[in-house]
Amino acid sequence: MDQAMRLVTDRKTYCAKCHLIGDYNPGGETQTILAPNLAVVGRRIRADYLRRWVADPKSVLPYTGMPVNFPPEGPPMGQDLMPGSAAEQLDAVVDLLLRYDAYMQNRTSIRALIGAAADAAGNSATGSQE
């Protein structure tokens, strides 16, 4: 679940780029778009629908702005965040969203997770190690 959370909290490519997640707000243009808060998705959406939506959003809502983050063809994205196939990444993210409350029970802040992920990405890009 920790690796799936790395995908969810990634601000460059994945969910945190547009979505509210618990106490995290991406700000900017998403204020007007208001992508759903992922902290409550698992309480509001059936598992089969959530998997279909995350796998191929345009198959559910053709005019959505949400991209396909786990493409079934080609190399999987986000290998630095969660190694594995696109199907494994998709399953992990859906599982995390369905069990978000239980996962966050021992954690306090999404903002802290996103900040730590950004710091780690900056350190790996510059080659520094702490």
Side-chain angles (χ1 to χ4, degrees):
M1 285 225 185
D2 290 338
Q3 289 181 331
M5 184 57 91
R6 282 190 246 157
L7 291 172
V8 169
T9 58
D10 179 65
R11 291 186 297 175
K12 293 179 201 159
T13 306
Y14 292 98
C15 311
K17 183 176 179 181
C18 300
H19 283 273
L20 301 164
I21 309 169
D23 63 349
Y24 171 75
N25 184 331
E29 196 175 301
T30 58
Q31 290 292 3
T32 58
I33 298 169
L34 290 180
N37 189 334
L38 297 183
V40 298
V41 166
R43 289 182 250 148
R44 299 182 58 213
I45 298 178
R46 291 184 328 267
D48 58 330
Y49 180 87
L50 178 60
R51 187 177 202 304
R52 186 172 151 219
W53 171 261
V54 175
D56 187 5
K58 290 191 185 328
S59 73
V60 177
L61 192 63
Y63 52 85
T64 184
M66 184 166 156
V68 174
N69 289 308
F70 308 102
E73 303 296 324
M77 303 180 340
Q79 292 297 298
D80 57 327
L81 302 170
M82 181 183 173
S85 70
E88 290 169 329
Q89 292 172 338
L90 171 65
D91 289 343
V93 167
V94 169
D95 189 45
L96 172 67
L97 294 176
L98 291 171
R99 293 168 176 72
Y100 181 86
D101 291 334
Y103 177 80
M104 289 303 294
Q105 197 167 25
N106 296 324
R107 292 157 180 84
T108 58
S109 171
I110 289 297
R111 280 187 280 168
L113 288 173
I114 290 173
D119 290 344
N123 287 340
S124 67
T126 61
S128 67
Q129 296 179 2
E130 292 183 8

